Amino acid sequence: MTRKETFNFSSGPSVLPAEALERAGAEICNFGSSGMSVMEMSHRSPIYEGIFAEVKTKLKKALSVPDSHEILFLQGGASMQFSMIPMNLMGEKGCADYAVTGNFSDTAYKEAKKYGTVNLAASSEDKNHTYIPAQNEITTDPNASYFYYCANNTIYGTQWKYVPETGAVPIACDMSSEILSKPVDIKKYGVIFAGAQKNMAPAGLTVVIIDKALAGRELPFTPLMMSYGLMIEKDSMFNTPPCWNIYILGLVLDWLESRGGVIGMEKETVEKAKMVYDVLDESRLFNACAEPGARSNMNITFRTKSREIDAAFVKEAEARGLLNLKGHRSVGGMRASVYNAQPIEGILALAEYMRDFEVKNRV
Amino acid sequence: MTRKETFNFSSGPSVLPAEALERAGAEICNFGSSGMSVMEMSHRSPIYEGIFAEVKTKLKKALSVPDSHEILFLQGGASMQFSMIPMNLMGEKGCADYAVTGNFSDTAYKEAKKYGTVNLAASSEDKNHTYIPAQNEITTDPNASYFYYCANNTIYGTQWKYVPETGAVPIACDMSSEILSKPVDIKKYGVIFAGAQKNMAPAGLTVVIIDKALAGRELPFTPLMMSYGLMIEKDSMFNTPPCWNIYILGLVLDWLESRGGVIGMEKETVEKAKMVYDVLDESRLFNACAEPGARSNMNITFRTKSREIDAAFVKEAEARGLLNLKGHRSVGGMRASVYNAQPIEGILALAEYMRDFEVKNRV
């Protein structure tokens, strides 16, 4: 089966732009006239420093990052940020607000308790995380050091459609599964972070965008590598960064720009997601899991009334080259992740298959 | 300049086997019949779980890791281990012994002070880290939770030629720049760790080999991602691991096995290093920096009596395709890193150039 005959709906690591992979393949043994792979370059060499600076500039441009904020290229995934955020931001006040709208924000909420007092500012657990709390359902503490939420819930297929109003309290946001899919007003956030393996680059890179004014307040036992202040001071190079992953991010950003940047992506994303949700809304077999106002444009979760039919759907999909449509083990059903690099052909193939499958499995 | 015309002497990230890079390039867009790049695979998919398990098995075999020890694939580099080791091993005793023989062990020593009482068990600072303390120069505390040292000092070009005797005190060892270059008696160690970017894989992967009996004693504020116990329990997959780096490690291990494994590597390594040290010993222009008994087989540090001549040596080397021979900024001079993947042709070219350069710069 050639690459073109398959579409990968994995929730992450997930599909990357074919153009980026082809370019990486063409120069994998010898980048430019260097005689070296990017994987072999000293991170302190002028050639790699050039790549690094260029990727940072491209990301700054793509997301319109203001000069008040610094871009960091770190490791450890979003899970490392679950600890790094409280260790750095809990500060003197020693308390923080958390909105729990899924598995990952729940893990972050529990982890933060190691480092201070944590308020459950909002939760969607009462309806199994199928919705996003409205502003008036959030109880914020004006004395909190920060307010934390996860913008897109990969497992449950829900997405915040607004930025919570928190007054003077800085916002920390996990954007792992929606970053670069739409414009973001970075100034509204104290810290944004994202594991790269959904919309940016291969797993092993974590992008952090932090208001520099928030750095330098880490707790005394904070590990060196987990100090935002040190990472800002060293431009993410206190030690060797994940050089290859950063390079691939650059190739992905070139592709992104060629498609109109985050504005182009938002248009494509909304269209792509709508095509699948339209099938779900017309269907008598499939049901979307998320409430209409909270539907994610990145991860579309759905199911039939029967586990057996769900399993058959996933199995037949694989045979048609529609890969990784099984829902997360904690919720079951199906999940189609339609990140930036998911081509429209993949969406068309999925929609067609869903309609075909429904005809064959009339209820 | 084609790849074959250059030799990369970088101290890390550093040269990788050409065969491994070529294989990676051939399957970068489509691994096997998957229709996906390894960079796009869900870490929970059977195909990637297969790759992961196979790499672990290969590494276990290459280093003869006993069943008492677990192999972990982590992130954050050796610097993350500087914190992770005391956070996990300091335990009830609350004190540890450190041997400081260079920049990285010094950073580790200072970092450990955040988490307990730290004894300076040995130091080579009195002679600018040009030697390795002998066993009788090490003051160990039988009540220490662990004894820490760095086996090969990349910056200073020194290498421990013996494993310190510490009685019942477990040994924690930074093997970043010598792992896989010779056999190791793993049972002698409590924890071995190594950043991958010297002898294993691209930067962004840290290999830890830990005696399972030492896990589960972490301090209460230890971040989730820094608990050895949790990482063992989750087989390094609490969250998404650096999938691509692990895959490349597998390709490097295949190459390693084809060259006789670590026994073959040790033979090659000793020969390669000797060729350069022989030139140094015969030279009236160049001097080796490390004392004879402490000379590293991985990083060969040397200098002339003049900074100008050093600079000229490095500059002319670049023109000949001998790259990254400049010494670390903290010590100056030159450094030739001759890791596993440095081909013998690179050593021959370096030795020839050194002799040529000496003829032209007679003192």
Side-chain angles (χ1 to χ4, degrees):
Chain A
M1 193 176 286
T2 69
R3 184 175 167 81
K4 281 181 185 166
E5 287 165 0
T6 65
F7 295 103
N8 176 10
F9 293 93
S10 170
S11 63
S14 47
V15 61
L16 288 164
E19 291 88 330
L21 290 172
E22 282 157 17
R23 233 177 102 191
E27 56 198 25
I28 192 171
C29 291
N30 187 1
F31 177 85
S33 59
S34 69
M36 285 180 266
S37 173
V38 172
M39 289 187 265
E40 301 175 296
M41 289 178 186
S42 166
H43 58 301
R44 308 273 184 210
S45 63
I47 189 166
Y48 187 75
E49 284 179 340
I51 293 171
F52 184 94
E54 205 182 313
V55 177
K56 209 174 142 182
T57 301
K58 283 176 189 167
L59 185 58
K60 188 175 165 79
K61 186 183 167 203
L63 283 171
S64 305
V65 178
D67 290 337
S68 53
H69 286 60
E70 183 67 39
I71 295 171
L72 300 175
F73 294 136
L74 306 181
Q75 297 183 56
S79 298
M80 188 69 92
Q81 296 305 310
F82 297 168
S83 320
M84 201 159 167
I85 283 179
M87 279 183 148
N88 283 267
L89 303 191
M90 201 62 93
E92 286 173 16
K93 292 178 179 172
C95 66
D97 283 345
Y98 275 69
V100 172
T101 57
N103 173 69
F104 294 109
S105 45
D106 189 49
T107 305
Y109 165 68
K110 286 170 181 155
E111 178 70 357
K113 290 181 179 179
K114 287 182 189 163
Y115 310 105
T117 305
V118 185
N119 312 314
L120 187 61
S123 170
S124 54
E125 203 184 358
D126 57 332
K127 292 183 189 171
N128 197 30
H129 300 308
T130 52
Y131 74 108
I132 295 296
Q135 178 71 49
N136 63 13
E137 294 173 303
I138 302 173
T139 314
T140 57
D141 175 357
N143 285 316
S145 296
Y146 62 95
F147 172 90
Y148 180 101
Y149 79 109
C150 176
N152 184 80
N153 299 285
T154 322
I155 291 176
Y156 294 93
T158 61
Q159 189 170 26
W160 289 67
K161 305 294 179 183
Y162 69 102
V163 181
E165 179 51 60
T166 62
V169 174
I171 298 175
C173 182
D174 179 354
M175 287 195 189
S176 294
S177 51
E178 69 159 46
I179 198 160
L180 292 177
S181 72
K182 60 180 183 180
V184 182
D185 187 355
I186 305 283
K187 283 192 305 296
K188 288 188 175 174
Y189 296 87
V191 189
I192 289 166
F193 66 90
Q197 66 272 21
K198 287 132 192 323
N199 264 338
M200 296 197 285
L205 169 65
T206 315
V207 169
V208 172
I209 302 171
I210 181 169
D211 182 344
K212 284 178 271 190
L214 295 178
R217 304 177 195 174
E218 60 265 34
L219 299 172
F221 48 75
T222 302
L224 268 176
M225 289 292 295
M226 293 180 76
S227 157
Y228 287 131
L230 184 66
M231 291 302 125
I232 292 171
E233 183 195 328
K234 299 290 186 184
D235 196 14
S236 305
M237 287 222 201
F238 174 74
N239 71 348
T240 318
C243 300
W244 172 260
N245 310 56
I246 294 167
Y247 153 75
I248 298 286
L249 172 56
L251 301 184
V252 171
L253 288 168
D254 286 346
W255 169 86
L256 189 94
E257 198 185 6
S258 76
R259 298 187 77 98
V262 290
I263 292 171
M265 280 302 128
E266 182 177 39
K267 189 167 170 289
E268 286 189 31
T269 291
V270 170
E271 280 172 15
K272 288 191 297 187
K274 186 174 183 298
M275 287 173 71
V276 182
Y277 283 120
D278 281 352
V279 175
L280 293 174
D281 287 339
E282 289 160 14
S283 170
R284 287 189 297 171
L285 178 67
F286 300 110
N287 292 298
C289 299
E291 290 191 3
R295 288 173 172 181
S296 169
N297 288 327
M298 295 277 104
N299 312 98
I300 303 171
T301 49
F302 57 103
R303 63 174 79 242
T304 69
K305 288 192 174 60
S306 147
R307 283 189 190 187
E308 289 69 33
I309 297 176
D310 288 351
F313 178 85
V314 171
K315 194 177 170 191
E316 288 176 35
E318 295 274 334
R320 286 172 80 130
L322 304 174
L323 311 178
N324 298 310
L325 281 164
K326 193 175 173 184
H328 189 268
R329 60 193 180 283
S330 65
V331 296
M334 281 78 75
R335 173 174 52 180
S337 295
V338 294
Y339 297 123
N340 286 352
Q342 183 64 255
I344 189 76
E345 292 80 6
I347 307 294
L348 291 168
L350 173 62
E352 183 188 3
Y353 168 56
M354 289 171 74
R355 290 199 182 95
D356 286 357
F357 186 87
E358 179 156 358
V359 169
K360 287 181 195 152
N361 294 272
R362 286 229 178 274
V363 278
Chain B
M1 194 176 284
T2 69
R3 184 176 167 81
K4 282 181 186 166
E5 288 165 0
T6 65
F7 295 104
N8 177 9
F9 293 93
S10 171
S11 62
S14 46
V15 61
L16 289 164
E19 292 87 331
L21 289 173
E22 281 157 18
R23 233 177 103 191
E27 56 199 24
I28 191 171
C29 291
N30 188 1
F31 177 85
S33 59
S34 69
M36 283 180 267
S37 172
V38 172
M39 290 187 264
E40 302 176 296
M41 290 177 185
S42 166
H43 59 300
R44 309 272 184 211
S45 62
I47 188 166
Y48 187 76
E49 284 179 340
I51 293 172
F52 183 94
E54 205 182 313
V55 177
K56 210 172 140 180
T57 301
K58 284 176 189 167
L59 185 59
K60 189 175 164 80
K61 186 184 167 202
L63 284 172
S64 305
V65 178
D67 290 338
S68 53
H69 286 60
E70 184 66 39
I71 294 171
L72 300 175
F73 294 136
L74 306 181
Q75 296 183 56
S79 298
M80 189 69 92
Q81 296 306 309
F82 297 168
S83 320
M84 201 159 166
I85 283 179
M87 278 183 147
N88 282 269
L89 302 191
M90 201 62 93
E92 285 172 19
K93 292 179 180 171
C95 66
D97 284 344
Y98 275 68
V100 172
T101 57
N103 172 69
F104 294 110
S105 46
D106 188 50
T107 305
Y109 165 68
K110 286 171 180 156
E111 178 70 357
K113 290 181 178 179
K114 287 181 188 163
Y115 310 105
T117 304
V118 185
N119 312 314
L120 187 62
S123 170
S124 54
E125 204 185 356
D126 57 331
K127 293 184 188 171
N128 197 30
H129 300 309
T130 52
Y131 74 107
I132 294 295
Q135 178 72 50
N136 64 12
E137 294 173 303
I138 302 174
T139 314
T140 58
D141 174 358
N143 285 315
S145 296
Y146 61 95
F147 172 90
Y148 180 101
Y149 79 109
C150 177
N152 184 80
N153 299 287
T154 322
I155 292 177
Y156 295 93
T158 60
Q159 189 171 27
W160 289 67
K161 304 294 178 184
Y162 68 102
V163 181
E165 179 51 59
T166 62
V169 174
I171 298 176
C173 183
D174 179 354
M175 287 196 189
S176 294
S177 50
E178 68 159 45
I179 197 161
L180 291 177
S181 72
K182 59 181 183 180
V184 181
D185 187 354
I186 305 282
K187 283 192 305 297
K188 289 189 175 173
Y189 296 88
V191 189
I192 288 166
F193 66 91
Q197 66 271 21
K198 288 134 192 323
N199 263 339
M200 296 196 285
L205 168 65
T206 315
V207 169
V208 172
I209 303 171
I210 181 168
D211 181 343
K212 285 178 270 189
L214 295 178
R217 303 178 194 174
E218 59 265 33
L219 299 173
F221 49 74
T222 303
L224 268 176
M225 289 292 294
M226 293 179 75
S227 157
Y228 288 131
L230 185 64
M231 291 302 126
I232 292 170
E233 183 194 328
K234 299 290 185 182
D235 196 14
S236 306
M237 287 221 203
F238 175 74
N239 71 348
T240 318
C243 300
W244 172 260
N245 309 56
I246 294 166
Y247 153 76
I248 298 285
L249 172 57
L251 302 184
V252 172
L253 288 168
D254 286 346
W255 169 85
L256 189 94
E257 199 185 6
S258 76
R259 297 186 77 98
V262 290
I263 292 171
M265 280 301 127
E266 183 177 39
K267 189 166 169 289
E268 286 189 30
T269 291
V270 170
E271 280 171 15
K272 287 191 296 186
K274 187 175 182 298
M275 288 174 70
V276 182
Y277 283 119
D278 281 351
V279 176
L280 292 174
D281 287 339
E282 289 160 13
S283 170
R284 287 190 296 171
L285 178 67
F286 300 111
N287 292 297
C289 299
E291 290 191 3
R295 287 174 172 182
S296 168
N297 288 327
M298 295 277 105
N299 312 98
I300 303 172
T301 49
F302 57 103
R303 63 173 80 242
T304 68
K305 288 192 174 58
S306 147
R307 282 190 192 187
E308 288 69 33
I309 297 176
D310 288 352
F313 178 85
V314 171
K315 195 178 169 190
E316 287 176 37
E318 295 274 334
R320 286 171 80 129
L322 305 174
L323 310 178
N324 298 311
L325 281 165
K326 193 175 173 184
H328 189 268
R329 60 193 181 283
S330 65
V331 296
M334 281 78 76
R335 172 174 54 181
S337 295
V338 294
Y339 296 123
N340 286 353
Q342 184 65 255
I344 189 77
E345 292 80 7
I347 307 294
L348 291 168
L350 173 62
E352 183 188 4
Y353 168 55
M354 289 171 74
R355 290 199 181 95
D356 286 357
F357 186 88
E358 179 157 359
V359 169
K360 288 182 192 151
N361 294 269
R362 286 229 179 273
V363 279

